[in-house]
Amino acid sequence: WVLGLYVVSFIFSYVQGWVLNGAVQKSIYQMRREVAAKLDRLPLSYYDKQARGEVLSRVTNDIDNVSQTLQQTLSQLLNSLLMVIGVLIMMFWISPILALVALVSVPIAMLVVSVIGKRSQKLFAQNWKSTGELNAHIEEAFTGHSLVKVFGRQKEVEAEFQVRNQELYKAGFGAQFISGIIMPVMFLVGNLNYVVIAVVGGLWVASGRMNIGDVQAFIQYSRQFTQPLTQVASMANLLQSGVASAERVFELLDSGEMSEEPSGELKVSRGEVVFDHVGFSYKPEQPLIQDLSLTAKPGQTVAIVGPSGAGKTTLVNLIMRFYDLQKGRILIDGVDIASAPRGEVRGNIGMVLQDTWLFGGTIRDNIAYGR
């Protein structure tokens, strides 16, 4: 019978590992798919406000941290829950009164975990935020490494790295230290629970109300009862770190998307561009373009001249529908570009930027991508 029980236990453990790992990996797989699809639906304004390294950190570091948290805690949480239920049944079967005494430690433990957890949760959120900011700085410094060299900005870049690295160190140390307090506190609560049960059980044995064997068995069960709670407490830092990363991923998934694509058509034959009482600003509190009207006739070459920040690039962004207007409309050959799909609008316009965009691959691949 014992051999059979061990064989059955092995089979169930194998099935549990297979099912839980499959569920975790499928969930992370689906999360990555949703994030990748979301990045294609986000407007250009989102990327203008977010550093690329910060976005990359959410897509890679935070999702990996969620995956690691689920893998390391899900099976143990399930085992701990089943252990607590089974041990509670045996404890109430032996002595309902002593079982109620043992349960007093549960609300105390929950109170301790909640108080400490609230403090450490904020630090874990700051920890992953600092990680994203550090990654953003590194990505920007490496991408523009040639510019950093040309203008002799190495010391400034290194100083900025040291500041952000120090912030990450402080947040990480604080989060791990405070969450690490939970486990020794749980040990203390479990030991106090053990002492109370031993004293009450000893008095009952002395008075003849209970057998010493039942007390000994109950003490063993009480130790097994507090053990899962202590294990869960020991995983608090992992769980809180995973929750902080999940919040950052969900924040990305909840970001506002581009407006729905209209079903109109844009067939350019002449190439007349008209700005009709256009109003636009990147931030509502900072007006930029107010009631602008202009016409670029077919065959004309029109130059927009002005200092940096005057809105020259903004006009191009509006024509390409990288941003939507707040007021007015833009017409191409009499058709409002807001009534046509973005791909159709951009497919009829040639846009040459100061910076070149090249992707990995051959020249042929880049030309084909551009077309």
Side-chain angles (χ1 to χ4, degrees):
W1 276 107
V2 172
L3 179 62
L5 286 174
Y6 278 124
V7 171
V8 171
S9 174
F10 166 76
I11 293 173
F12 276 111
S13 297
Y14 181 84
V15 172
Q16 173 189 310
W18 179 273
V19 172
L20 288 178
N21 283 325
V24 169
Q25 293 305 321
K26 286 179 181 178
S27 299
I28 298 302
Y29 170 79
Q30 184 65 26
M31 181 181 286
R32 285 197 177 99
R33 284 189 60 184
E34 291 181 6
V35 169
K38 181 72 177 186
L39 293 176
D40 289 334
R41 298 195 301 268
L42 290 172
L44 188 64
S45 57
Y46 179 87
Y47 297 101
D48 285 343
K49 297 173 184 176
Q50 296 282 345
R52 283 181 292 180
E54 167 70 12
V55 178
L56 287 172
S57 183
R58 295 184 188 228
V59 176
T60 55
N61 294 340
D62 287 305
I63 292 181
D64 284 343
N65 188 46
V66 172
S67 174
Q68 184 180 1
T69 300
L70 291 175
Q71 284 178 334
Q72 294 185 9
T73 61
L74 202 58
S75 61
Q76 199 166 347
L77 284 172
L78 183 59
N79 289 338
S80 298
L81 177 63
L82 294 175
M83 175 70 78
V84 167
I85 293 173
V87 169
L88 270 177
I89 293 172
M90 296 302 298
M91 289 169 66
F92 274 100
W93 183 59
I94 295 174
S95 174
I97 298 177
L98 278 180
L100 292 174
V101 172
L103 285 176
V104 173
S105 63
V106 175
I108 297 175
M110 292 180 64
L111 178 64
V112 170
V113 171
S114 63
V115 170
I116 300 176
K118 287 179 181 179
R119 291 194 60 189
S120 59
Q121 182 64 34
K122 295 178 181 179
L123 289 171
F124 273 113
Q126 181 60 42
N127 177 50
W128 287 105
K129 181 182 177 183
S130 299
T131 301
E133 292 174 350
L134 182 64
N135 285 342
H137 173 73
I138 293 172
E139 189 276 335
E140 190 175 50
F142 285 175
T143 303
H145 190 64
S146 57
L147 287 175
V148 173
K149 286 284 188 181
V150 167
F151 290 99
R153 299 283 295 181
Q154 294 96 320
K155 290 183 178 180
E156 287 81 356
V157 171
E158 290 174 5
E160 180 70 16
F161 173 83
Q162 293 297 337
V163 170
R164 296 188 182 279
N165 197 28
Q166 183 69 16
E167 291 175 355
L168 177 57
Y169 162 76
K170 289 181 179 179
F173 179 86
Q176 294 292 340
F177 178 76
I178 292 180
S179 63
I181 297 175
I182 294 177
M183 190 170 180
V185 171
M186 289 296 297
F187 270 124
L188 176 62
V189 173
N191 289 330
L192 292 175
N193 185 54
Y194 170 77
V195 170
V196 171
I197 291 173
V199 170
V200 174
L203 292 174
W204 283 4
V205 170
S207 63
R209 293 180 58 187
M210 199 171 186
N211 295 326
I212 191 169
D214 288 338
V215 174
Q216 172 63 20
F218 195 94
I219 289 174
Q220 293 295 328
Y221 280 125
S222 70
R223 300 299 278 180
Q224 287 184 315
F225 176 71
T226 56
Q227 181 182 356
L229 299 178
T230 306
Q231 288 177 343
V232 172
S234 68
M235 295 184 294
N237 56 345
L238 273 175
L239 288 169
Q240 290 175 318
S241 177
V243 168
S245 290
E247 287 177 351
R248 284 167 51 82
V249 176
F250 293 145
E251 184 181 355
L252 171 63
L253 291 173
D254 292 337
S255 300
E257 301 179 2
M258 293 184 291
S259 57
E260 293 185 7
E261 293 279 25
S263 57
E265 292 184 356
L266 177 63
K267 294 182 179 179
V268 178
S269 57
R270 298 167 54 242
E272 182 185 56
V273 179
V274 176
F275 280 67
D276 183 20
H277 300 286
V278 169
F280 174 79
S281 63
Y282 293 103
K283 298 179 180 179
E285 66 276 9
Q286 295 180 359
L288 181 60
I289 298 176
Q290 295 179 328
D291 197 23
L292 171 65
S293 296
L294 64 87
T295 300
K297 296 181 179 179
Q300 275 189 322
T301 299
V302 179
I304 309 296
V305 183
S308 297
K312 303 184 297 296
T313 306
T314 301
L315 296 182
V316 178
N317 289 336
L318 295 178
I319 294 175
M320 299 294 289
R321 282 202 66 194
F322 292 149
Y323 292 86
D324 290 327
L325 302 176
Q326 275 105 39
K327 294 180 181 179
R329 56 181 184 159
I330 298 176
L331 308 173
I332 298 180
D333 285 351
V335 178
D336 189 347
I337 62 173
S339 65
R342 294 179 182 84
E344 196 164 331
V345 173
R346 295 164 190 170
N348 284 284
I349 299 172
M351 180 178 175
V352 182
L353 299 173
Q354 296 174 355
D355 300 323
T356 55
W357 289 348
L358 291 176
F359 295 90
T362 64
I363 297 174
R364 178 188 179 89
D365 293 337
N366 277 273
I367 294 174
Y369 190 92
R371 290 181 63 82

